[in-house]
Amino acid sequence: MKINARSVALDTLLKIFKQKSYSNIALNNALEKSQLSPIDKALTTQIVYGTVQYKLYLEYQLKSLVQTKLKEDYLWPLLLMSAYQYFFLDKIPTASIVDEANKLAKSYSPKGSQSYRLVNGILRSLVRRGEILPEEKDAVKYMSIKYSYPQWLVKYCLDHFGKTKTISILQAGNMPSVNSIRIADMSKKDEILHKLATEYKISISNLTNHNVNLDHGSITNSQLFKDGLITIQDSAASLVVDAFNFKGDEKVLDACSAPGGKTAQIAEYLTTGKVFALDIHQKKLNLVKQTLTRLHQDQKLIMKALDARKVNEYFFGQQFDKILVDAPCSGLGLIRRKPEVRYEKQMEDLKHLSEIQYNILDHVAGLLAENGELVYSTCTISIEENEDVVKRFLTNHPDFSLAPFEVGNLSKCKMIKIFPDDYNSDGFFIAKFVKRG
């Protein structure tokens, strides 16, 4: 079988849909192993992410045309990715989409199978009929199919954010994720920008002065990345650590540190201080170590494999000047980067995660010194995981209060919620507490 953009895309989609692999990991692994040209890699990426993003929409288009059980695993992903190309990739001729699908069906089918005839018939019927959508008077169902989000999530956004904002959020989640990097050594900013501009079309983030958006490609093989001068980090995520007021000699606890981007950012602010990084899994802490070593900050790092809800079994007293709780969450702010998140979460998950988030805050609170700072952040937009957790924490910890902070290009406030449609970034929430003396 000839390896091309569509065969790599189909293999990747099989891993995502059948093996429940993460889309970003499965795609990156597939592209690294392939010998595709940059143009074909871009097409593969577009097909994979687009097919996952619009899965509900594509299934709605196809389901009435599939009149028999699909016996072979590859068939449904092949039909979905072909439908995606037909509806969303205008530059690809329809005849080419159908022809390439037929070739893939022939190469993936067992000997003697006539499945390619089924693929050909379904796709030609799809082309003849065109797009169908539910009636607009059922707003939840209509928007669920049109933008390809589960109905519970559409209703949640409508109930909490209104129709106009909801449409904007849903549309933003289907846009390509921004290729954002953070400058780790701001003393060399001009030099770094000059070098980046020789290889990429660049633009400074409208959220921060230390993030740069690149027009294409991975930077992991660049010398700037290897030398630890830049790192991969979304602009909204990079605001979290900026919420602290560092002096440089602090003892800092990063309660949920993996994969280490924010841990490294904390270390960059320290001179004689130390950052204690926690994670349940040692394997993930190894990633933290790798990240800080590449960024030349590992000498400030102390690691411990520990559930943050059990910190009192290892630490004692008010020994930390600053604590970061970048809590595990539903990830609803990362949908454009991890499109399958929208299908994996339910309303019950928001409630369950909010309990975990509160429990982490509750357990680390006693370790913070008087007048110390505690920053709480998530990469989600749900009220249950953000504002409700903050309210509950303040109710049960009267010695803490919200403190105003100013980060990036945003106005000073006590809590920040960034939606993915606000600044073309990930969705994020940040709150800052101070422990009163």
Side-chain angles (χ1 to χ4, degrees):
M1 181 184 69
K2 182 181 178 182
I3 304 299
N4 57 30
R6 289 177 177 83
S7 67
V8 175
L10 180 54
D11 285 339
T12 305
L13 289 169
L14 277 165
K15 288 184 172 66
I16 295 169
F17 294 147
K18 299 298 180 181
Q19 300 176 22
K20 304 301 180 183
S21 299
Y22 291 115
S23 58
N24 57 332
I25 296 174
L27 179 59
N28 289 339
N29 289 340
L31 293 179
E32 285 179 9
K33 293 176 183 177
S34 75
Q35 301 296 318
L36 297 178
S37 68
I39 292 176
D40 280 343
K41 285 184 177 180
L43 177 58
T44 300
T45 300
Q46 194 170 20
I47 291 173
V48 169
Y49 276 123
T51 302
V52 178
Q53 284 170 339
Y54 285 100
K55 181 171 176 281
L56 290 181
Y57 170 89
L58 299 170
E59 288 176 340
Y60 190 82
Q61 306 306 317
L62 287 165
K63 64 181 181 180
S64 64
L65 301 175
V66 180
Q67 303 295 331
T68 184
K69 182 179 180 181
L70 302 177
K71 297 179 181 180
E72 293 156 34
D73 285 347
Y74 79 87
L75 286 170
W76 192 237
L78 175 58
L79 288 168
L80 290 174
M81 63 178 264
S82 301
Y84 169 73
Q85 294 170 77
Y86 173 67
F87 286 111
F88 295 97
L89 302 186
D90 297 336
K91 293 182 180 180
I92 301 179
T94 299
S96 295
I97 295 170
V98 176
D99 184 55
E100 291 296 325
N102 289 337
K103 290 177 181 177
L104 282 171
K106 289 178 181 178
S107 62
Y108 276 73
S109 292
K111 188 175 181 180
S113 171
Q114 297 295 305
S115 292
Y116 74 93
R117 296 183 185 276
L118 180 64
V119 170
N120 184 68
I122 292 171
L123 291 181
R124 292 192 181 280
S125 296
L126 180 69
V127 170
R128 285 195 298 271
R129 191 204 62 199
E131 180 189 65
I132 55 173
L133 288 171
E135 294 184 18
E136 289 191 51
K137 63 182 180 181
D138 186 344
V140 172
K141 185 176 181 180
Y142 174 80
M143 293 168 68
S144 170
I145 297 302
K146 181 176 176 62
Y147 301 111
S148 197
Y149 286 78
Q151 290 191 33
W152 78 266
L153 186 51
V154 173
K155 186 176 186 307
Y156 182 92
C157 290
L158 286 170
D159 289 346
H160 290 92
F161 311 128
K163 184 176 180 180
T164 300
K165 185 65 174 177
T166 294
I167 292 173
S168 183
I169 292 171
L170 301 183
Q171 289 176 329
N174 288 331
M175 296 293 289
S177 60
V178 175
N179 193 9
S180 177
I181 61 126
R182 180 175 65 82
I183 298 173
D185 188 346
M186 288 295 286
S187 68
K188 298 180 179 179
K189 179 178 178 180
D190 291 342
E191 175 189 343
I192 292 169
L193 290 177
H194 177 73
K195 289 182 178 179
L196 286 172
T198 62
E199 297 184 47
Y200 306 92
K201 182 179 179 181
I202 66 173
S203 60
I204 303 298
S205 165
N206 54 3
L207 261 180
T208 83
N209 67 344
H210 48 55
N211 277 74
V212 182
N213 298 328
L214 311 180
D215 65 332
H216 71 279
S218 171
I219 52 96
T220 54
N221 291 322
S222 73
Q223 199 59 46
L224 288 172
F225 184 83
K226 293 176 181 178
D227 290 343
L229 297 174
I230 60 175
T231 193
I232 301 169
Q233 190 174 36
D234 183 77
S235 56
S238 75
L239 293 175
V240 173
V241 173
D242 292 344
F244 288 109
N245 292 317
F246 286 102
K247 296 177 181 177
D249 60 350
E250 291 95 340
K251 194 175 177 182
V252 186
L253 176 66
D254 187 352
C256 313
S257 64
K262 297 179 186 68
T263 317
Q265 201 174 354
I266 290 170
E268 290 164 15
Y269 278 105
L270 302 177
T271 50
T272 59
K274 296 289 184 182
V275 56
F276 289 71
L278 306 185
D279 195 272
I280 298 177
H281 306 290
Q282 183 62 47
K283 185 182 292 186
K284 290 187 176 181
L285 284 176
N286 294 339
L287 295 176
V288 176
K289 176 73 171 178
Q290 290 174 17
T291 298
L292 270 77
T293 299
R294 181 179 60 81
L295 294 170
H296 314 294
Q297 301 295 335
D298 55 304
Q299 71 279 6
K300 305 169 190 175
L301 174 68
I302 299 171
M303 301 188 303
K304 177 65 180 176
L306 184 69
D307 186 332
R309 292 168 293 182
K310 299 179 179 180
V311 288
N312 302 112
E313 296 178 8
Y314 186 79
F315 299 102
F316 57 91
Q318 300 179 4
Q319 61 176 287
F320 292 104
D321 304 294
K322 290 174 171 55
I323 298 176
L324 171 62
V325 176
D326 184 42
C329 69
S330 62
L332 296 179
L334 306 180
I335 281 179
R336 72 171 72 183
R337 200 175 300 281
K338 298 178 180 179
E340 66 273 15
V341 166
R342 71 185 80 187
Y343 311 121
E344 296 172 348
K345 303 300 179 184
Q346 301 291 335
M347 187 65 210
E348 293 74 20
D349 294 313
L350 307 189
K351 298 173 183 177
H352 172 68
L353 285 162
S354 69
E355 284 295 318
I356 294 174
Q357 293 151 358
Y358 171 76
N359 284 331
I360 293 174
L361 284 173
D362 183 50
H363 281 86
V364 303
L367 300 177
L368 189 65
E370 290 184 357
N371 301 312
E373 298 176 331
L374 169 59
V375 170
Y376 173 68
S377 64
T378 71
C379 53
T380 190
I381 61 174
S382 82
I383 293 167
E384 287 78 1
E385 299 174 86
N386 295 324
E387 292 90 342
D388 286 356
V389 171
V390 169
K391 183 178 179 180
R392 182 180 175 188
F393 180 76
L394 289 172
T395 298
N396 294 327
H397 294 82
D399 53 336
F400 280 80
S401 60
L402 284 172
F405 63 98
E406 189 173 359
V407 291
N409 301 323
L410 303 177
S411 301
K412 182 179 286 189
C413 58
K414 295 180 180 180
M415 291 190 292
I416 290 174
K417 179 180 276 186
I418 299 171
F419 290 91
D421 60 316
D422 289 341
Y423 298 96
N424 197 25
S425 68
D426 291 342
F428 247 86
F429 176 85
I430 310 169
K432 179 178 178 178
F433 306 96
V434 171
K435 189 173 188 178
R436 295 190 295 274

